[in-house]
Amino acid sequence: MRIVYISLITILFPIIVYPQLTVLNPGLEGTPGSLFITPAPWDNCMPFGTFVAGVGDAATPDTQPGCYGVTLPPSEGVSYIGFGHIPNYNIVNPYLGVDEWQEGFSQELSSPMIANGCPYEFTIDLANGLTPDPWNSTGIQTTIGEVRVYGGFDFCSEEELLWSSGPVTNEQWETYNVEFIPNTNYTHISFQCVKTEKNAICAYLLADNITPIVNSPPFSDAGANIEICNNSIYLNANNLESGQTGSWSIISGNGNFIDINDPNTLVTNLEEGNNIFEWSVIAECSEEIGISEVNIFVYEEPEPNAGINQEICENFTYLNGNTLSDEEIGVWSIISGNGNFNDINDPNTLVTNLNVGINIFEWSISSTLCSEISDEVAINYVISNLASNAGNDQELCDTEALLNANIPGENENGIWNIISGTGVFFDDTDPNTLITNLSVGENILEWIISDPCESSASQINITVQELNVSIENVSNYNNYNITCSGLEDGFIELVPIGGYPPYLYSWVGPNNFISNNQNIYNLPSGLYECNILDNNGCEQFISIILNEPEPLDIEFIGSENLDCFNNPFINFNLINGIGSVEGIINTSWGETTNFIWNNTNQWYFEYNNFDQWNGTINVSATDANGCEANSETITVETWEDPFADFEMSSTDTIIFEPIEFIDYSTSDSPIINWLWDFGDGNVSNLENPIHLYENEGQYNICLTIQDENGCESKKCNIINIYENSYAYIPDIFTVNNDNINENFLPIIRGVLEDSYLMLIYDRWGKLLFSTTNHMKGWDGTHNGNIVTEDVYSYKISYITQSGKEKKYIGKVTLVK
């Protein structure tokens, strides 16, 4: 199994990316050889209260190389840290008064660790210092120690042990991978040296090149490589943690995953040989993907082949199983029958002492991983006892026959051959097969029965005398078998060939026709069938249809009488007819026209072909077969032109006075349309309309008529229309109760409704009376009293019905 970690280039799943954690001066750079100097900004983590004589509180990790005889070059940069552990320093020098010494260094992280269950990792280069004791007089040397990494909330705090290196035994730099999952979001990290040998007095380690603290790639284990013999298996990758997603993919080979995200999915359709699959794991808290591979090697499943079946004439034979590969084992066994194998493991062994009949042997192959698989072969030991009987000879009148040879026995095969003549076997191995396409005359066939040892043959003779009857002659009248529709002048003549005379003819046809004659005559159209039978019972059937032309007919399409358009015609169409058709047109007034009709177009003629157009017309025709047709008799007429005329109830009148217009037009053909034009923009289609004019003036009135033939006539007359307004205004009236001229009432005609106004004034201009009713006059009173006898003024205005404004101003005298 190979485990690989790669950086994520294309993000296939949504993930949460946490920032990397960094420290300042991760290379632990300082001044080499600085004793008791921790490279800034790292903080010294000697236990608080420690005092070393001659050094005081400044005893700390050292900036190496160069102190205590340490000469190992840095793994990165120009310097690194050396730090040690002496649990009881008084053992070394009791006069210093130091009973505890444990060096370390610490720093605040660029951002807190996230305690989300996801692992962090970084690397640090470590080596064992193995330096002589700084006080050489003691003769004590440093021994093996380990590095412990703590997380906390302050410098040098030891809230949680995150990681321990174990004994650092290497004297040269080695890179250690630090992995841990914090339980709390720590803000600080510290590194401490701890001795690992129980009886050692001290330990001294070297540290360099701390990489950024990042979330580690998720763990991926695709499982152990497997060798199998079948093409499917359940995979066995590591189970996923919360926040992780895994997926399978194919690196090489083939396979169909039931669920690509299931670490234990079933994979099918594996191909033989190597099938390498990759298990990729991504996590929400890492930018990297954990990848591992597994190889499923599929061995080729044994494919036994016991060889082809054999039919033999002796009781021994060599078998022919397929050759084995190096890791395969083969063995022969008896399924049925009998046999002695010379070597049961030899695919081509000799087998003897076979039973008569079928002996079945099994060739089984197995391998280390694959189960046993078998194939069978049948060895048929045959003892010959053959007999062939092709059946009886046949005399036929048809070119096909059903054969009747004997059926082959067990382990025997039969086949037909043609010795002479022709023929096509439906199945040449069937003793009772159908043979077709036999030649007329003699056909010799052979039936051969054989087994693996020998063969036997026999023959039959099939003689064919085929009856063939053809139609020698049939009636033809310009490509029709009957001259005209409904006639009976067709005939059919036959010629028999082959078969065995004499022949018997049986005719049937339309209208219960029957006949036993070879040739038949005076036939109407229809289907005729004849069954011909020769002396040996061979028969042939003949069918023919005698056709007749469609009836010749003359179709009347239309006609037009003579009228004002001067275009009378009669239109005929000839229907059907054979070849060139001759025709004649007869009129009741004694004129005739001959024509030749060479196609199916309509034959058309104008009235000016004749001297007159009044009477009846008939058309007759005869075609090339002598068929005749006559048209119906058509009546034609001549129409006189229409004449328009009318009268008016008045030729001089006033506006808004109804005028009657009376039609006095005459026509030989019924009049169907009237069009009156009254000259004022108005028209009418009535025969006798009534119209009134709204404006005075002279108008030209025209009547246009149209008869059934479309012929027209027009006549026009003049009418004068005068203004219809009239006014009479008296200049005196009396108020004396004699009921004569008691009111001042002007007589007005042609007033437009609601336009009338009359005002009465005295000589000083005082308004005495007013009205808008032209039928109401002034009775000479004002405020209920009769005014004095005097002369009074009036003003009268109105609008006439023709839209003119009228005004009258004058005087009227009131007399008592």
Side-chain angles (χ1 to χ4, degrees):
M1 179 179 69
R2 179 168 59 92
I3 301 178
V4 181
Y5 299 108
I6 64 170
S7 296
L8 180 64
I9 296 175
T10 301
I11 300 177
L12 303 178
F13 301 90
I15 64 173
I16 302 173
V17 179
Y18 297 100
Q20 65 182 10
L21 311 181
T22 59
V23 295
L24 300 176
N25 192 11
L28 302 168
E29 299 299 318
T31 303
S34 298
L35 186 64
F36 308 138
I37 301 299
T38 302
W42 291 96
D43 273 2
N44 165 35
C45 286
M46 286 286 286
F48 295 106
T50 298
F51 178 82
V52 178
V55 179
D57 290 334
T60 69
D62 311 297
T63 303
Q64 297 283 13
C67 299
Y68 308 131
V70 176
T71 60
L72 181 66
S75 68
E76 181 269 339
V78 297
S79 68
Y80 49 89
I81 275 185
F83 59 122
H85 179 209
I86 302 178
N88 188 353
Y89 202 82
N90 285 332
I91 297 175
V92 179
N93 190 344
Y95 301 103
L96 295 180
V98 178
D99 59 3
E100 182 181 356
W101 181 19
Q102 182 180 0
E103 289 184 343
F105 52 96
S106 177
Q107 193 178 136
E108 183 178 5
L109 297 169
S110 59
S111 60
M113 304 175 188
I114 305 299
N116 58 1
C118 293
Y120 282 95
E121 74 172 358
F122 65 92
T123 63
I124 184 171
D125 294 341
L126 300 176
N128 191 324
L130 295 178
T131 62
D133 186 79
W135 297 272
N136 290 331
S137 59
T138 64
I140 299 174
Q141 290 184 337
T142 57
T143 57
I144 306 301
E146 69 178 14
V147 175
R148 295 181 181 179
V149 180
Y150 290 92
F153 300 106
D154 201 353
F155 294 101
C156 303
S157 64
E158 301 175 5
E159 296 293 335
E160 181 183 350
L161 175 62
L162 301 177
W163 177 80
S164 175
S165 66
V168 179
T169 61
N170 49 288
E171 297 182 25
Q172 299 297 320
W173 292 112
E174 286 191 12
T175 300
Y176 284 72
N177 190 65
V178 181
E179 272 195 47
F180 60 90
I181 299 175
N183 293 321
T184 307
N185 299 344
Y186 299 118
T187 59
H188 291 67
I189 191 169
S190 62
F191 299 82
Q192 293 183 4
C193 176
V194 179
K195 77 179 185 67
T196 58
E197 293 187 10
K198 180 178 179 181
N199 297 323
I201 296 177
C202 66
Y204 194 76
L205 298 178
L206 308 177
D208 195 4
N209 190 24
I210 302 172
T211 60
I213 305 171
V214 295
N215 290 116
S216 61
F219 177 69
S220 173
D221 181 2
N225 295 332
I226 303 174
E227 294 180 343
I228 59 175
C229 193
N230 56 356
N231 67 346
S232 65
I233 192 173
Y234 281 93
L235 301 178
N236 189 26
N238 62 294
N239 291 326
L240 302 172
E241 302 293 338
S242 175
Q244 293 182 344
T245 303
S247 63
W248 287 102
S249 59
I250 300 174
I251 302 300
S252 65
N254 187 61
N256 294 334
F257 302 104
I258 298 301
D259 182 356
I260 63 171
N261 301 118
D262 182 2
N264 306 117
T265 187
L266 175 67
V267 59
T268 60
N269 293 333
L270 298 169
E271 67 180 26
E272 293 178 357
N274 291 313
N275 299 270
I276 300 176
F277 305 125
E278 182 178 81
W279 176 240
S280 302
V281 180
I282 67 171
E284 294 178 351
C285 53
S286 176
E287 296 181 351
E288 298 183 72
I289 300 176
I291 294 177
S292 59
E293 295 177 356
V294 63
N295 184 13
I296 310 298
F297 186 86
V298 179
Y299 282 96
E300 181 179 3
E301 194 171 42
E303 294 184 5
N305 184 352
I308 61 174
N309 296 331
Q310 300 181 39
E311 288 184 337
I312 59 177
C313 301
E314 298 173 313
N315 70 343
F316 64 90
T317 187
Y318 282 93
L319 301 179
N320 191 24
N322 61 309
T323 304
L324 304 172
S325 62
D326 292 340
E327 71 277 2
E328 292 179 340
I329 299 174
V331 61
W332 286 103
S333 59
I334 300 174
I335 301 301
S336 63
N338 187 61
N340 296 330
F341 302 106
N342 188 41
D343 182 355
I344 63 172
N345 301 119
D346 181 1
N348 305 119
T349 187
L350 175 69
V351 59
T352 60
N353 296 326
L354 299 170
N355 284 347
V356 175
I358 295 176
N359 302 268
I360 299 177
F361 305 120
E362 182 178 74
W363 176 237
S364 301
I365 299 178
S366 61
S367 63
T368 304
L369 292 176
C370 303
S371 59
E372 186 176 86
I373 303 177
S374 303
D375 186 36
E376 295 180 354
V377 64
I379 308 298
N380 187 10
Y381 172 34
V382 179
I383 298 178
S384 296
N385 184 19
L386 300 179
S388 172
N389 182 358
N392 297 322
D393 294 340
Q394 299 183 44
E395 290 186 353
L396 306 173
C397 52
D398 199 357
T399 58
E400 64 179 41
L402 191 64
L403 303 180
N404 190 24
N406 65 311
I407 299 173
E410 187 178 3
N411 302 317
E412 297 176 351
N413 296 310
I415 189 168
W416 285 102
N417 287 326
I418 296 176
I419 303 301
S420 65
T422 63
V424 177
F425 298 103
F426 182 77
D427 181 358
D428 61 359
T429 63
D430 182 2
N432 305 120
T433 189
L434 176 70
I435 184 172
T436 59
N437 295 341
L438 292 166
S439 60
V440 176
E442 186 177 72
N443 299 271
I444 299 176
L445 310 180
E446 183 178 61
W447 174 241
I448 303 173
I449 293 180
S450 60
D451 61 19
C453 305
E454 60 182 351
S455 62
S456 173
S458 60
Q459 296 179 355
I460 59 170
N461 187 358
I462 298 179
T463 303
V464 177
Q465 291 294 332
E466 187 178 30
L467 174 63
N468 188 10
V469 180
S470 63
I471 297 175
E472 180 182 32
N473 195 15
V474 65
S475 54
N476 188 331
Y477 306 100
N478 291 312
N479 297 322
Y480 289 93
N481 305 116
I482 310 298
T483 54
C484 299
S485 176
L487 297 185
E488 299 181 1
D489 53 3
F491 61 86
I492 304 172
E493 297 174 342
L494 302 181
V495 175
I497 301 174
Y500 303 93
Y503 308 105
L504 176 64
Y505 300 90
S506 297
W507 285 98
V508 294
N511 303 322
N512 298 319
F513 173 85
I514 58 174
S515 175
N516 298 118
N517 296 326
Q518 177 179 343
N519 304 317
I520 52 178
Y521 302 93
N522 301 321
L523 307 175
S525 64
L527 172 65
Y528 292 85
E529 298 174 327
C530 184
N531 191 61
I532 303 99
L533 189 68
D534 69 7
N535 196 43
N536 282 346
C538 301
E539 63 180 348
Q540 186 179 3
F541 182 79
I542 286 180
S543 173
I544 185 172
I545 295 177
L546 300 184
N547 65 331
E548 66 179 13
E550 294 292 331
L552 178 65
D553 190 20
I554 299 175
E555 176 188 16
F556 171 66
I557 296 177
S559 66
E560 187 67 49
N561 291 320
L562 177 61
D563 54 24
C564 63
F565 296 107
N566 202 32
N567 61 346
F569 69 87
I570 296 208
N571 200 343
F572 288 94
N573 184 36
L574 183 65
I575 301 175
N576 305 314
I578 309 301
S580 179
V581 180
E582 296 181 0
I584 185 170
I585 303 172
N586 296 295
T587 67
S588 61
W589 54 90
E591 295 182 76
T592 61
T593 297
N594 295 306
F595 64 88
I596 295 178
W597 204 316
N598 291 315
N599 51 49
T600 57
N601 295 330
Q602 298 173 349
W603 192 84
Y604 174 81
F605 59 95
E606 299 284 346
Y607 84 99
N608 53 17
N609 289 332
F610 303 101
D611 294 335
Q612 67 181 59
W613 195 260
N614 202 36
T616 59
I617 295 176
N618 175 266
V619 181
S620 61
T622 303
D623 67 10
N625 279 357
C627 305
E628 296 181 350
N630 289 282
S631 74
E632 58 183 292
T633 299
I634 307 303
T635 301
V636 296
E637 297 181 84
T638 299
W639 298 97
E640 297 296 332
D641 293 342
F643 178 76
D645 192 14
F646 68 91
E647 290 185 0
M648 301 178 291
S649 60
S650 174
T651 58
D652 297 283
T653 184
I654 61 175
I655 61 175
F656 297 109
E657 186 71 23
I659 304 168
E660 295 182 13
F661 296 87
I662 303 170
D663 175 47
Y664 285 105
S665 302
T666 58
S667 177
D668 201 12
S669 175
I671 299 173
I672 60 173
N673 287 316
W674 291 265
L675 177 62
W676 295 86
D677 185 349
F678 299 112
D680 61 351
N682 294 303
V683 296
S684 174
N685 296 111
L686 299 176
E687 181 179 2
N688 299 301
I690 296 175
H691 184 65
L692 54 85
Y693 291 86
E694 297 180 359
N695 298 293
E696 61 183 341
Q698 188 177 72
Y699 298 92
N700 186 33
I701 301 166
C702 294
L703 169 64
T704 301
I705 62 172
Q706 184 184 62
D707 65 11
E708 282 186 344
N709 297 324
C711 298
E712 295 182 348
S713 178
K714 182 177 181 180
K715 180 178 180 179
C716 299
N717 282 327
I718 300 297
I719 188 170
N720 296 303
I721 304 300
Y722 301 99
E723 173 67 55
N724 64 345
S725 178
Y726 170 78
Y728 167 72
I729 304 174
D731 56 2
I732 189 170
F733 72 102
T734 61
V735 185
N736 53 13
N737 294 322
D738 61 357
N739 292 326
I740 298 174
N741 198 22
E742 292 286 334
N743 290 292
F744 176 62
L745 179 61
I747 299 173
I748 306 297
R749 297 289 185 270
V751 176
L752 187 66
E753 196 72 26
D754 297 330
S755 68
Y756 180 80
L757 177 63
M758 182 176 72
L759 305 174
I760 305 295
Y761 301 90
D762 63 12
R763 66 176 57 243
W764 294 280
K766 180 180 179 181
L767 180 63
L768 303 178
F769 175 78
S770 65
T771 182
T772 58
N773 186 352
H774 71 284
M775 300 300 293
K776 181 180 180 181
W778 180 40
D779 59 0
T781 63
H782 177 65
N783 292 332
N785 299 315
I786 297 176
V787 299
T788 60
E789 188 175 73
D790 202 348
V791 177
Y792 296 88
S793 298
Y794 61 83
K795 290 183 179 180
I796 299 173
S797 65
Y798 59 90
I799 297 174
T800 68
Q801 290 185 354
S802 60
K804 293 183 178 181
E805 185 177 0
K806 298 286 187 177
K807 291 185 178 180
Y808 297 96
I809 299 175
K811 297 184 181 296
V812 61
T813 302
L814 185 150
V815 179
K816 293 186 178 179

